[in-house]
Amino acid sequence: MPAVAAAAAPAHLLSQPYWYRLLPSGTDVHRLDDGLFAVTGNAAVQEALAHPAIVAEHPLKASARAFGPNVLDADGPSHRAFRALLAPILSAGRIEEYKRALMPGLIRELVDGIAGVETADFHRTFAHRVPYGIVCTILGIDTSLEERFHQLTRPLARLLDYPTQETAQTHANVAELLQLVEEQRVAGSAGPRSLLATIERTRDRKGISLTDGEVRSTALLFFLAGTETSSAFITSLVYCMGRGVFGLDELHDEAARDDYIEETLRLYPPVQTVVRFASEDLTVQGVPVPRHSAVLASVAGANRDPRVFEHPDRFQVDRSRKGSVPFAVGAHACPGAMLAKTEFSLLIEEIVRRCSDVVITRDRLGMESQSFSHPTDFSVEFLTR
């Protein structure tokens, strides 16, 4: 199979938000370069993400070098052990507690800040406030440190992006964050139900063989993935509201909010590209993929596959959800999906309660990032009732 033409060489191609659209038609598995494959169609992406020999673990991954062994970069028994640590924090019962006691105050505070406001930088200024508040509380971080965590964490999103942007500063940020997490643990101010206390207790009770450092790294990656993914998607939710793709008053209904969230997730998945590696010679959709190849699975391409979704670029809330994979599939499917959707629904409910309309006042149709993707270059105004 020939590689993609030089005009669409990997570095240039993958800098485009919707890079999958630039690949030749006729196949869903593309060799971009030696040892680098892109998978774009819905069936092919689901096959690749669920394939037992297409794995997350690779010693040269920037995130693995920065964080050490962790939940995102492990496979098999190690990955299951990491996920078992997070399970109590993400249980239905615990999420119901967050919904009742934690999320409402944070959401009201955010909407207090945006009601009656027009902003050209919703993502940087506002979108992070609810997810950072939630995850800082779960992690057991003192609220006075939330802004510092935000400053240190945001650049780390580029470690998980593709192509990766890795610098000495990103490694320094990881070191400082891990130190802050350890200081908070030693101070004991978080309480017995915090993320750190819970995962350490779960590790000891279940006899899971993970070091304190591996526990800290998983907690920090939970923070990074949970906050930056949610910040990106909240930006997409607000953008779709402002584009008038769905009547604001209709969103008073919880079922309508769920449909709205699902369709926004299909159109604007916060993780557009998932990086995996072939642990052995294998095939995807009948195309040979040699051992050690990097496999780039386009979640965005899967979610806009016209063979699965009629008029895939349109916002249609009455679609079947079958085939949409915004949180990936397989062993590495996002464990925090239920927590995130609860947060999104409550935020929409409060915006609709307080605002008569959400209006995009300037739109240059920009998109940013593969791993924490969201619309950019727009201004939005929140009109009050």
Side-chain angles (χ1 to χ4, degrees):
M1 181 202 304
V4 172
H12 172 75
L13 174 71
L14 295 165
S15 67
Q16 312 302 312
Y18 297 109
W19 56 265
Y20 61 90
R21 291 174 169 166
L22 304 177
L23 295 173
S25 60
T27 181
D28 291 332
V29 182
H30 307 261
R31 184 167 72 86
L32 304 184
D33 207 343
D34 288 340
L36 180 62
F37 286 77
V39 181
T40 57
N42 190 279
V45 167
Q46 294 206 50
E47 179 182 337
L49 291 178
H51 199 298
I54 297 181
V55 299
E57 189 170 359
H58 194 287
L60 298 182
K61 282 180 73 175
S63 53
R65 289 198 301 269
F67 292 94
N70 65 79
V71 66
L72 295 185
D73 298 317
D75 292 288
S78 294
H79 179 69
R80 290 191 290 273
F82 279 120
R83 288 179 75 104
L85 296 182
L86 297 175
I89 291 292
L90 299 172
S91 68
R94 192 69 74 91
I95 290 171
E96 186 60 34
E97 289 181 27
Y98 305 148
K99 179 180 179 180
R100 188 173 59 251
L102 171 58
M103 295 181 183
L106 293 168
I107 288 169
R108 282 194 299 270
E109 184 178 345
L110 169 61
V111 178
D112 283 345
I114 61 176
V117 168
E118 181 177 7
T119 175
D121 196 9
F122 176 82
H123 178 256
R124 182 172 296 277
T125 306
F126 296 104
H128 68 281
R129 294 185 181 179
V130 171
Y132 269 78
I134 291 171
V135 180
C136 272
T137 302
I138 293 172
L139 189 56
I141 301 301
D142 189 281
T143 55
S144 66
L145 294 173
E146 285 183 20
E147 187 55 36
R148 183 58 181 157
F149 262 76
H150 179 224
Q151 293 168 354
L152 291 169
T153 302
R154 177 145 284 174
L156 300 186
R158 297 303 188 186
L159 284 173
L160 305 183
D161 217 336
Y162 195 90
T164 294
Q165 295 180 24
E166 184 179 6
T167 66
Q169 187 61 54
T170 57
H171 284 265
N173 284 21
V174 170
E176 184 172 344
L177 283 163
L178 287 172
Q179 180 62 33
L180 286 172
V181 168
E182 174 61 12
E183 289 172 359
Q184 293 291 290
R185 187 195 68 80
V186 171
S189 57
R193 292 176 61 78
S194 72
L195 172 64
L196 280 175
T198 300
I199 62 179
E200 287 181 343
R201 191 164 56 248
T202 302
R203 176 194 62 181
D204 296 341
R205 187 178 70 249
K206 294 189 174 183
I208 297 172
S209 298
L210 295 174
T211 67
D212 287 349
E214 290 166 344
V215 167
R216 307 287 182 275
S217 292
T218 283
L220 186 56
L221 273 170
F222 172 83
F223 184 101
L224 171 60
T227 54
E228 288 303 310
T229 302
S230 292
S231 297
F233 187 67
I234 286 169
T235 303
S236 297
L237 283 175
V238 165
Y239 178 77
C240 288
M241 282 184 180
R243 290 291 300 270
V245 296
F246 199 71
L248 210 60
D249 284 341
E250 296 178 66
L251 294 172
H252 285 290
D253 180 72
E254 185 175 4
R257 290 198 300 275
D258 290 344
D259 290 340
Y260 175 81
I261 290 167
E262 293 292 345
E263 181 64 351
T264 308
L265 281 166
R266 184 191 68 81
L267 277 172
Y268 296 104
V271 177
Q272 293 216 349
T273 304
V274 175
V275 185
R276 296 286 186 264
F277 303 91
S279 63
E280 60 187 51
D281 293 341
L282 51 88
T283 63
V284 177
Q285 297 288 291
V287 176
V289 177
R291 183 186 181 200
H292 298 318
S293 296
V295 178
L296 310 182
S298 176
V299 172
N303 279 3
R304 297 197 187 207
D305 188 335
R307 294 163 295 187
V308 177
F309 304 103
E310 187 178 9
H311 304 300
D313 295 329
R314 292 184 188 174
F315 192 103
Q316 295 179 192
V317 295
D318 57 350
R319 293 183 189 275
S320 168
R321 299 177 184 180
K322 186 177 180 180
S324 182
V325 290
F327 293 106
V329 295
H332 281 269
C334 176
M338 185 187 299
L339 175 65
K341 289 180 182 181
T342 302
E343 169 190 348
F344 302 150
S345 182
L346 288 178
L347 176 59
I348 295 170
E349 182 180 23
E350 184 67 10
I351 289 175
V352 172
R353 189 182 72 82
R354 296 282 301 280
C355 298
S356 61
D357 206 356
V358 178
V359 181
I360 297 294
T361 56
R362 179 185 62 88
D363 190 1
R364 295 181 181 174
L365 302 177
M367 287 293 294
E368 181 175 304
S369 182
Q370 298 296 335
S371 290
F372 301 97
S373 181
H374 58 87
T376 61
D377 298 326
F378 70 91
S379 297
V380 60
E381 184 175 9
F382 298 86
L383 304 176
T384 54
R385 292 191 180 275

